[in-house]
Amino acid sequence: CADALAWLRDRRLPRRCHVVCSPPDIGELKPITVADYTAWFVDAVRAVLAALEPSAVALFYVTDGRRSGPDETYLDKSHLCHRGAEAAGAACLFHRIVLGGPAGVARAGSTRPSYAHLLAFSVALRPPRDALVWSDVVPTRGHMAYMGATGERACAEAIEFVLGAHALRGTGGGGGGGDGGGDGGDDEGEPLPPQLPEAEDDAPALVLDPFCGKGSILAAANAAGLDAYGIDSNPMRCSISIEHRLKGDDGSGGGPVEECAVAQCDCDDPSHHCRAS
């Protein structure tokens, strides 16, 4: 339960570490102006990429705000991701669209778009052409742990890319720990480790989610056999994330919950994640 950006600023993450995250929306940081939120968001992306070893990857899952920009205009958070990456000297490896419902369904201007962005960046990694294959459009985000969470399908797609990118990295180079300044924790629970654990070059990828919420990304990483660390300033969400299991896991809550047939409906089924958050 700590400020992830303050924890990241004074350290270099291990070579095997990659970041998959969904930075908080403007509504989660209120009271804050649009200008201050934009500056915060761009700096968050920059700080994440600056803390990673250059050949690691950072993936961001973001949803736009139709009335979150200046004078309630459109706020394109994928654009803010690109600005933060540029400030860190990183390049975009892919920009994918994740659908939250069928394409072509009319939606009110006050609701979120029925899609999200999934973007991958790296400072130094440049996968050879055709080394990694993916679809430009993910047809469904999958089950959501709560309204506004990263869907399980999107989490799995992100972790799959991390696995492929990690396998392509060279064996040379540094990327050791920084000075580990600061305890990074608070009184809500165990302090964050001063430094994430290092490992030999051929160790499996390690996933960090600095805005982990209820832990969907962490659970997806664990399901793929990877260690994962999460940080969130909300103590309740941290507690939930520790026990988070994917809905599709055997013996852990049954199969995945299906989304409604339309992007937004009036049903009362709490298992449907169709309303705009």
Side-chain angles (χ1 to χ4, degrees), residues 103-116:
V105 176
R107 292 166 62 82
S110 60
T111 63
R112 288 186 182 183
S114 56
Y115 63 88

Side-chain angles (χ1 to χ4, degrees), residues 95-164:
H95 184 164
R96 305 173 66 185
I97 299 299
V98 181
L99 297 182
V105 176
R107 292 166 62 82
S110 60
T111 63
R112 288 186 182 183
S114 56
Y115 63 88
H117 305 271
L118 182 61
L119 305 99
F121 298 95
S122 179
V123 172
L125 182 66
R126 300 293 183 267
R129 182 172 296 188
D130 300 329
L132 298 173
V133 179
W134 60 83
S135 62
D136 292 324
V137 177
V138 181
T140 176
R141 61 193 171 195
H143 171 72
M144 300 166 67
Y146 62 96
M147 196 63 67
T150 308
E152 287 187 5
R153 172 70 180 273
C155 292
E157 294 273 349
I159 297 302
E160 182 179 358
F161 181 81
V162 166
L163 290 169

Side-chain angles (χ1 to χ4, degrees), residues 10-226:
D10 295 329
R11 70 200 74 247
R12 172 62 64 86
L13 296 169
R15 283 196 72 250
R16 67 186 185 119
C17 185
H18 307 267
V19 168
V20 181
C21 68
S22 179
D25 294 323
I26 188 171
E28 297 179 84
L29 298 181
K30 285 183 177 179
I32 188 172
T33 66
V34 174
D36 287 345
Y37 175 75
T38 297
W40 178 90
F41 194 105
V42 170
D43 184 62
V45 173
R46 182 207 58 78
V48 165
L49 285 160
L52 283 169
E53 196 270 338
S55 61
V57 296
L59 281 77
F60 300 90
Y61 177 91
V62 294
T63 53
D64 295 333
R66 287 188 174 182
R67 301 184 67 175
S68 299
D71 300 323
E72 295 193 328
T73 55
Y74 200 95
L75 181 63
D76 183 355
K77 285 192 281 187
S78 67
H79 170 64
L80 301 184
C81 285
H82 283 281
R83 286 179 55 187
E86 182 179 3
C92 184
L93 303 183
F94 71 59
H95 184 164
R96 305 173 66 185
I97 299 299
V98 181
L99 297 182
V105 176
R107 292 166 62 82
S110 60
T111 63
R112 288 186 182 183
S114 56
Y115 63 88
H117 305 271
L118 182 61
L119 305 99
F121 298 95
S122 179
V123 172
L125 182 66
R126 300 293 183 267
R129 182 172 296 188
D130 300 329
L132 298 173
V133 179
W134 60 83
S135 62
D136 292 324
V137 177
V138 181
T140 176
R141 61 193 171 195
H143 171 72
M144 300 166 67
Y146 62 96
M147 196 63 67
T150 308
E152 287 187 5
R153 172 70 180 273
C155 292
E157 294 273 349
I159 297 302
E160 182 179 358
F161 181 81
V162 166
L163 290 169
H166 188 75
L168 289 175
R169 298 179 354 152
T171 58
D179 60 10
D183 62 11
D186 61 17
D187 295 332
E188 296 291 348
E190 293 296 324
L192 289 168
Q195 197 70 36
L196 293 185
E198 264 293 359
E200 58 275 11
D201 285 340
D202 60 351
L206 181 151
V207 173
L208 171 68
D209 183 354
F211 314 104
C212 69
K214 294 185 179 180
S216 299
I217 290 169
L218 308 180
N222 290 162
L226 304 180

